[in-house]
Amino acid sequence: MNDLRNLVSTLVDKHGRDEESLLPILQGIENSESYVSQEAMVEIAKELNISAAQVYGTATFYSFLSIQPLGKYVIRVCKTITCSMHGKNQVISELENMLKIKLGETTSDKRFSLLETNCLGQCHKGPAMLINDEPYTDLTPEKVREIIRDIQQKEFAVN
Amino acid sequence: MEKKHLKRLDLIFKNEHDTEEILAKVLAKKNEEIINDLIISGLKGRGGAGYPTGLKWKLTAEEESDEKYVICNADEGEPGTFKDREILSAVPHKVLTGMAVCARVTGAKQGFIYLRGEYKFLVPELEKAIAAFHNLLATLNLDFSVSVFIGSGAYICGEESALFESMEGKRGEPRNKPPFPTQKGYKAKPTVINNVETLAHTYSIFKYGPEKFHDLGVKDSHGSKVFSVSGDTPIPGIYELEFGMTLQKFVDDFADGDAKAVQVGGASGFCVPRKRFEKTVIGYQGTLTGPSLPTGGSMMIFNSSRSMYNVLHNYLDFFVEESCGQCTPCRVGTQQLLLGIQAVKKGEKPSLYLDKLLSLAETMRVTAKCGLGQSVANSFSSIVENFREEMIY
Amino acid sequence: MKVNLTIDNIAVSVDEGSTILEAAKQVSIHIPTLCYHEDLCVAGNCRVCVVEQTGTNRLLPSCAMPVSEGMDIHTNSLKVRAARKQVVELLISEHNAECTRCYKNGKCELQELSSEYILGDNGFIDLIPFKKYTIDNFSPSIIKDDSKCIRCQRCVRTCTELQSISALTVAHKGKEMKISSFYDKPMYEVVCTNCGQCVNRCPTGALTEKIYIDQVWEAICAEDKHVVVQTAPAVRVALGEALGMEPGEIITGKLVSALRRLGFSAVLDTDFTADLTIIEEGNELLQRLTKVLKDGDTSVKLPMTTSCSPGWVKFIEHTFPEYLDNVSTAKSPQQMFGALAKTFYAEKLKIEPENIVSVSIMPCTAKKFEADRPEMQSSGYKDVDFVLTTRELALMIKQAGIDFLSLPDDEYDSIMGQSTGAGVIFGATGGVMEAALRTAYEVVTGREVPFKNLEVTPVRGMEEVKEATIKLENVLPKWDFLEGVELKTCVTHGLTNAKKVMEAVKSGEANYHFIEVMACPGGCLGGGGQPIPTNLQIRQKRTEAIYQEDRLKAIRKSHENPEVQKIYEEFLKEPLGAMSHELLHTHYTVRNRQ
Ligand SMILES: Cc1cc2nc3c(=O)[nH]c(=O)nc-3n(C[C@H](O)[C@H](O)[C@H](O)COP(=O)(O)O)c2cc1C
Ligand code: SF4
Ligand code: SF4
Ligand code: SF4
Ligand code: SF4
Ligand code: FES
Ligand code: FES
């Protein structure tokens, strides 16, 4: 709770106390916490002198802000038309197989979340996905395996 | 084996490292001259709506206000559009130059680039370019600075007034117009908001003069246009072409030889079937149903292996999610269109129900609050009318 | 500057900046609206108000579109009618249209609109089975039924613009978009003050008060129960509206008649305890002034604020908890009445308090919550058992088959039925202040308050924040420390204004002794339990009626109310005494801000 309060106040100091800072502050919370919790929203509301409901209203509008905890690596696969035409479903199946979760779920070790998203602006290189902020394009099941294996190995090395 | 009927242009992406020179040259001009140049050039907004850029700057310059803003719209969320990303990563200085000149002309001191969350990976390079540009501005004594505002995944925030709301910390719900952004934009102050590509084009106009720009293209559509080409094409990518081509010429160059339809302008654009390729011209002039189509630059090609029902279903899925939800025709209308085509496909509704849906789409066009809800009818009607059998069987 | 246009071929000239909707009204053309409300900023989201402009393909939202020179508008063209009908069809497809079960049946704007556009059964797909709508009926005051919501956002704008609370917000987007509290928690768990202003402006049955009509009928019909009813000041100037009368008619006599016919054992008046409130609260103010100005006691807080508006009380508990010691400890008239009904009144009439059912008729939804507060049981029982809004009473009168308009006038029962003009004006913003000044000034100086006809005009009216400074001169010896003191008072209504005042107090910018706050615009007469619709004009009419009622009263100062004098002699002994402390004063709770 205190950590959260510190995080919020650091973000508020950085971005300012006006309502205009709300989105950057929420993004900051999302980045460090993987989601925006109730407590975080109440804290932000106090700092910006707006209602907690207003923070909630804004937070739930944006699909990159989550009110559920997500994994360390959030995978968002584009489901829009050209990616869909070029094998998005195979990409998702492969991810589901590797991570042993279904679309919309988070692995039990809290490492990966698998989500769909709308057009990523990579349509000429579809299928495409984001892992956190990084785009991955021209995906094939083989390529997906490599990408995930790399991350898993990196994670393994860290622990 | 590329076919090349259409002339490929190289204005936007050509990088000659002459920003300082161009900026010094244009800033030496009077504001009226700059505006006049833009008006003569015939440059129109590349974000989709096609509003004359010179006029937009002029109106904002004429507003009395202690604060004004210049905003670059880099929310690029229209399915099938990816050119702004490339412009911002390849030639950010051109966009920044356009913003700085606009600031001088209008009296703005602050600028923002509203970058969609999906493009956050561009930020480090972009920040570098901005820092370098700020140094340049300091030597030119222009009091103007640019910051990046990052979106968080909401297509509607590309709509200008929703974008302002979003920057103000609110939900991205479009506002009533009037007042227009030139009168009351970000924080209710006069604001110029331009698409990335529009701003990049101003650079070419400053550099080569308005006449050169005006000479490109046709009639009401001057200059070049950056197209995002995707779908069933052997050469997907970003191409700078002249306005005024027919869709047939485009398909000859870009499709795989089996194109049955091209979606021009993304999910909110129009679907043109093969039989109309010859007659359809890409440009701004003409009416919505006429033979020429404006576009934010998205060209999605579908070959005969594709189900247009699936295409439409995918678009409607997109709108059902991305509608801000505030106005009735769009929030409920999109759901009804989606469930409606499903019901017809499954045989739960008679095929005549498609006509009720077509009339609903028309109602959405004339009653929805913003461009999103208004343009759902574009793809819906053009797909259902041209591929009616595919909707039923 | 004037702008000329034609609407349905009728020429009209209106001020620049007017909307098409306003212009149409001038030439007697009614354009249907749903999201538009006179008290609120324009949203332009329902799209039923669209009209056609010659030469424009798109229809224009008349509520949001300013007029321009030469416009040629058509409000009833085929295109307009077809579009409106489809918009209503869309709303209905998303709506749990079970009118026959709905509290708003017959009073619903959506229902009215759908009856104009005969929808038939060739509608769109019913979306209800695809939705997970919830009904929140945990609050003692308000029920929120999402399945009846048309997302017009009137409630959100009300709560934000008029009340500065934003307990309600719009959450999610696209098809998931909904009106929500913080985290979609039950309304009773969040900062909502129960003021009911949103209820008053909701066009459908999505936000309603919690209804206690059946419980009251049951009590009335129970052989062994003595059911007393009290009526708040603002009810008598508004009830008529819900029963077919024009705003601003005073129907006190008919109100009493109707209540008696409904079968209440005794028809009594909240105005009586309003007078009592003035005695207690006025003395509390004088006591605080004495402690601060004379004894230099820093533990006693000034400014003192009023405490009779439960919406305001809950607001300050959430938002300015550090100022709870500034709130008068005097209970609201409703709760004073409740506490006395089951003690003093019970003793007098020799009825067992457990057999008394105490009902109140209030212009307010927050009163339901107030009656439910755990501390409101000083009689040893729940002091007020059931609170009905003005609207619920109107419904009971209809249920009982009473022809209200032709009822004869009747008089309140005695003990706790007599009141003064000072009690009546409690119903209007500034009323408590005016009543308090009428009494306090006289206590301190021995003279009547120095305003013509006792009308303290500076605190009257709809201005957002009203201030009055009254210089105390030639005071009675007991109050010599007040000689020459300028008593600074402030009156405000609507919580947005209250917030401004409190912020000014907090920053030290404002320096008052006494502040009156009513949570609702215009005071209780604009309360959340009053007849629908509401707007400034209606509230002004009700205000005029209240002051008219005051003028007609024989006694117009609370301390001159004979029943009040008597209750001190016989029962309470003295203001702020031990008995008062036990029955008539209360304490407050710090609440969170979510
Ligand atoms: C739903 C919707 C989405 C839009 N998205 C974008 C966008 O991503 N980028 C953009 O430049 N304009 C977008 N626009 C258009 C903008 O509202 C605005 O017209 C444009 O930024 C103006 O710039 P321009 O005159 O340079 O085209 C969108 C409009 C609508 C209705
Ligand atoms: S048309 Fe759609 S996106 Fe636009 S305001 Fe209406 S609901 Fe929102
Ligand atoms: S809210 Fe209105 S339309 Fe809906 S069920 Fe109730 S009365 Fe009928
Ligand atoms: S009752 Fe009052 S405080 Fe509660 S949501 Fe409604 S307007 Fe807001
Ligand atoms: S609850 Fe009522 S006022 Fe609020 S949006 Fe729904 S219908 Fe409108
Ligand atoms: S369709 Fe997948 S990135 Fe555009
Ligand atoms: S009343 Fe005009 S849009 Fe709702």
Side-chain angles (χ1 to χ4, degrees), chain B residues 309-359:
Chain B
Y309 172 83
N310 287 348
V311 171
L312 180 58
H313 196 294
N314 191 283
Y315 291 162
L316 289 173
D317 277 334
F318 175 80
F319 289 127
V320 165
E321 269 177 39
E322 295 294 344
S323 154
C324 83
Q326 70 164 314
C327 81
T328 314
C330 172
R331 178 189 66 252
V332 197
T334 50
Q335 296 174 63
Q336 288 293 352
L337 293 179
L338 178 59
L339 288 173
I341 61 162
Q342 286 173 349
V344 170
K345 191 80 176 176
K346 283 192 227 144
E348 291 163 5
K349 287 271 182 196
S351 61
L352 277 179
Y353 192 69
L354 288 174
D355 297 321
K356 182 159 171 115
L357 296 180
L358 285 168
S359 108

Side-chain angles (χ1 to χ4, degrees), chain A residues 19-20 22-24 27 31 57-58 60-65 79-82 84-86 118-124 130 133-135, chain B residues 79-80 82 85 116 118-121 150-153 156 166-172 186-187 230-231 236 300 302 306 314 318 321-322:
Chain A
E19 204 179 333
E20 282 102 66
L22 181 53
L23 208 45
Q27 289 164 345
N31 281 348
T58 296
T60 53
F61 188 83
Y62 296 94
S63 59
F64 280 16
L65 298 174
K79 64 171 177 203
T80 308
I81 188 70
T82 36
S84 194
M85 282 160 50
H86 290 123
N118 284 320
C119 180
L120 291 170
Q122 306 281 0
C123 329
H124 54 324
L130 285 180
D133 299 334
E134 220 42 56
Chain B
F82 38 88
R85 189 201 68 225
R116 68 188 304 225
E118 290 83 343
Y119 291 171
K120 197 171 162 198
F121 66 96
I150 303 168
S152 259
I156 189 57
S166 172
M167 285 182 63
E168 292 172 14
K170 301 188 212 124
R171 302 165 49 80
Y186 177 51
K187 295 209 250 182
S230 66
M300 293 190 272
F302 302 111
R306 306 295 173 188
N314 191 283
F318 175 80
E321 269 177 39
E322 295 294 344

Side-chain angles (χ1 to χ4, degrees), chain B residues 43-53 56-57 71-78 81 83-84 114 116 155-163 174 177 181 192-199 268 284 318-319 322 370-375:
Chain B
L43 173 63
K44 286 182 180 175
R46 300 304 202 237
Y51 194 82
T53 307
K56 192 182 267 189
W57 291 22
I71 295 175
C72 166
N73 189 342
D75 195 49
E76 192 169 57
E78 187 64 53
T81 316
K83 44 118 190 161
D84 291 344
Y114 189 104
R116 68 188 304 225
Y155 164 64
I156 189 57
C157 289
E159 197 282 338
E160 52 201 19
S161 63
L163 184 147
K177 292 179 205 171
V192 169
I193 176 161
N194 274 130
N195 173 253
V196 173
E197 183 189 341
T198 313
L199 289 163
S268 38
Y284 291 113
F318 175 80
F319 289 127
E322 295 294 344
C370 86
L372 190 152
Q374 289 160 6
S375 54

Side-chain angles (χ1 to χ4, degrees), chain B residues 171 176 320 322-323 325-329 331-332 335-336 339 356 359-360 363 365-369 374, chain C residues 43-47 58-59 86 89-91 93-94 122 124-125 127 131 151 170 172 174-175 177:
Chain B
R171 302 165 49 80
N176 290 304
V320 165
E322 295 294 344
S323 154
Q326 70 164 314
C327 81
T328 314
R331 178 189 66 252
V332 197
Q335 296 174 63
Q336 288 293 352
L339 288 173
K356 182 159 171 115
S359 108
L360 168 59
T363 296
R365 187 201 302 290
V366 297
T367 60
K369 183 167 178 177
Q374 289 160 6
Chain C
N45 60 33
C46 75
R47 316 307 279 185
R58 237 178 258 142
L59 300 176
Q86 275 199 336
E89 272 187 314
L90 288 175
L91 284 173
S93 77
E94 204 189 23
N122 185 22
F124 292 115
I125 294 169
L127 299 180
K131 306 268 173 188
R151 296 155 181 85
V170 186
H172 305 285
K175 74 168 197 262
M177 181 271 215

Side-chain angles (χ1 to χ4, degrees), chain C residues 92 95-100 102-111 114 147-148 203-206:
Chain C
I92 296 284
H95 184 94
N96 182 17
E98 40 154 33
C99 302
T100 49
C102 183
Y103 181 44
K104 275 301 195 70
N105 192 359
K107 293 159 289 202
C108 168
E109 295 179 43
L110 178 64
Q111 191 188 42
S114 60
S147 74
K148 306 271 175 69
T204 69

